[in-house]
Amino acid sequence: MRQNPILTNDDRDNPLGMLTNLFDVAMVFAVALMVALVTHFNMNEIFSKEDYTIVKNPGAENMEIITKEGNEIKKYTSSDSDSPTNGSKGRRVGTAYQLENGEIIYIPEK
């Protein structure tokens, strides 16, 4: 009796052997998706060694300021209370405008 040369090795004994290849493909796809998302949303500065500041939802009630100084990342949120319970909250005290020539004008609120 002649055997099929494809099935001569131990592949017949391990029915889950194909799942390892699927896992490898899924991991490569997940890493590629993460890299694509980082480049699409221009979040490259998160992985750099430079210090940066990001303002999310500027001028809105739920505005957040995220700063990175060295290896430390801080997040500040605005609140209406004058006495914050911790150092990570603040309140809006004015508005800053940048002119076409690059000059910044600060207008305090009353």
Side-chain angles (χ1 to χ4, degrees):
M1 192 172 202
R2 187 172 170 206
Q3 289 185 347
N4 189 353
I6 295 174
L7 299 176
T8 56
N9 57 8
D10 291 336
D11 288 342
R12 293 178 290 172
D13 298 335
N14 189 4
L16 298 177
M18 293 296 291
L19 288 180
T20 58
N21 292 336
L22 290 176
F23 179 76
D24 293 341
V25 169
M27 291 304 296
V28 168
F29 178 74
V31 170
L33 183 64
M34 288 188 329
V35 169
L37 287 173
V38 165
T39 56
H40 176 71
F41 291 116
N42 296 326
M43 298 182 343
N44 299 332
E45 61 270 352
I46 291 177
F47 300 110
S48 70
K49 294 186 179 195
E50 299 176 2
D51 295 342
Y52 64 85
T53 302
I54 298 174
V55 180
K56 291 174 58 177
N57 303 325
E61 292 292 327
N62 59 348
M63 182 177 74
E64 297 177 350
I65 302 172
I66 301 169
T67 59
K68 177 186 175 225
E69 297 173 355
N71 291 332
E72 187 175 347
I73 297 176
K74 295 180 183 177
K75 177 179 171 183
Y76 300 97
T77 57
S78 62
S79 66
D80 292 334
S81 64
D82 289 334
S83 59
T85 57
N86 58 11
S88 66
K89 297 206 178 228
R91 61 184 177 88
R92 185 175 175 170
V93 294
T95 306
Y97 296 98
Q98 184 174 12
L99 301 177
E100 292 177 358
N101 62 3
E103 183 180 356
I104 296 177
I105 298 174
Y106 171 72
I107 301 173
E109 292 182 355
K110 294 180 181 181

